[in-house]
Amino acid sequence: MSDHEQQPAPRRGKVLEALARAERKVFTRPAPKSAKAQVKFLLTRAKGSTQALAERLGVSRRTVERYRAGKLTTAQKCPQAALVEETESEWKPQVRAQARQQASTFSGMMVEVTAYSGFACTGSSDDGRERQITTDISPYYAKQILELQEAGATEEDLHPIVAEAITESYFTEWGTRAAGLRADLTHVSKIEFRI
């Protein structure tokens, strides 16, 4: 691959991006910001293999070597997005694992979502509309969401479980009202998680 042939950075959906942002908020120290520091960090994770890192970032091996040497100080838009995403996905794995474990077993997560929601329930007179909802998600659902994310789930895989978690906590209040109600979330315009 030449320096001029670059692959686009992988694009994640809104739910996956929100989960990544939530994990970044638990870091005890910020991830490296400069391209040189990011490449240096990622090379330690790739056991010094510039070829492996170049394939991961979708750039040439020579480009990785230039970043490492400090000859390229600012990354172009495409490699910069890949550098940031890869760095943050590898940064502070123990802190991230501890926060995920706590959310899965004890504390759950908080979700804030703005989306169009409609209902499937017999006798429901509430038409679907855009809603802004902030609610807690139980550890049961937090565990499912985080396991799906870890397993490489797509945005389409995560939407139903997030909708089910919101339905349980917000609309049915953990089974104390509106039995049999199922809310579907579509057209998610904003979503944030707090672990």
Side-chain angles (χ1 to χ4, degrees):
M1 177 185 305
S2 74
D3 287 341
H4 302 293
E5 297 173 18
Q6 297 176 350
Q7 298 172 349
R11 185 83 178 119
R12 296 189 291 193
K14 290 181 181 179
V15 174
L16 292 168
E17 285 292 330
L19 287 168
R21 281 192 304 272
E23 287 181 340
R24 286 193 297 266
K25 290 177 184 175
V26 301
F27 291 159
T28 54
R29 237 179 15 177
K33 298 289 184 214
S34 73
K36 181 178 179 179
Q38 290 168 337
V39 166
K40 183 178 176 183
F41 168 72
L42 289 171
L43 280 170
T44 63
R45 301 304 252 182
K47 297 180 175 50
S49 172
T50 55
Q51 184 61 39
L53 182 56
E55 289 172 6
R56 237 173 113 179
L57 297 174
V59 297
S60 70
R61 184 171 166 248
R62 181 73 184 120
T63 300
V64 170
E65 291 168 354
R66 286 186 194 133
Y67 283 130
R68 181 176 59 184
K71 292 179 181 172
L72 290 176
T73 55
T74 56
Q76 295 171 350
K77 189 176 183 178
C78 183
Q80 179 62 35
L83 266 174
V84 169
E85 186 174 322
E86 290 296 325
T87 300
E88 290 178 349
S89 71
E90 295 282 336
W91 190 248
K92 297 288 184 180
Q94 292 173 334
V95 172
R96 180 183 291 115
Q98 185 179 20
R100 292 169 72 89
Q101 178 66 25
Q102 183 175 349
S104 297
T105 57
F106 176 69
S107 64
M109 295 189 297
M110 175 75 73
V111 65
E112 181 180 325
V113 64
T114 303
Y116 185 86
S117 64
F119 299 98
C121 182
T122 55
S124 173
S125 62
D126 200 3
D127 291 333
R129 64 181 184 271
E130 186 171 276
R131 300 171 191 268
Q132 183 174 6
I133 299 169
T134 302
T135 188
D136 288 316
I137 293 177
S138 70
Y140 172 78
Y141 285 108
K143 181 178 181 178
Q144 289 183 30
I145 291 167
L146 294 171
E147 284 176 350
L148 281 171
Q149 178 202 21
E150 190 75 25
T154 65
E155 192 78 2
E156 291 77 28
D157 297 332
L158 289 168
H159 268 262
I161 192 70
V162 171
E164 189 177 326
I166 292 171
T167 298
E168 182 188 308
S169 66
Y170 184 81
F171 294 111
T172 67
E173 294 180 1
W174 288 282
T176 61
R177 65 183 180 101
L181 180 77
R182 190 186 97 240
D184 295 320
L185 298 178
T186 58
H187 303 91
V188 176
S189 58
K190 177 187 161 198
I191 187 164
E192 292 295 327
F193 289 98
R194 283 183 292 254
I195 297 177

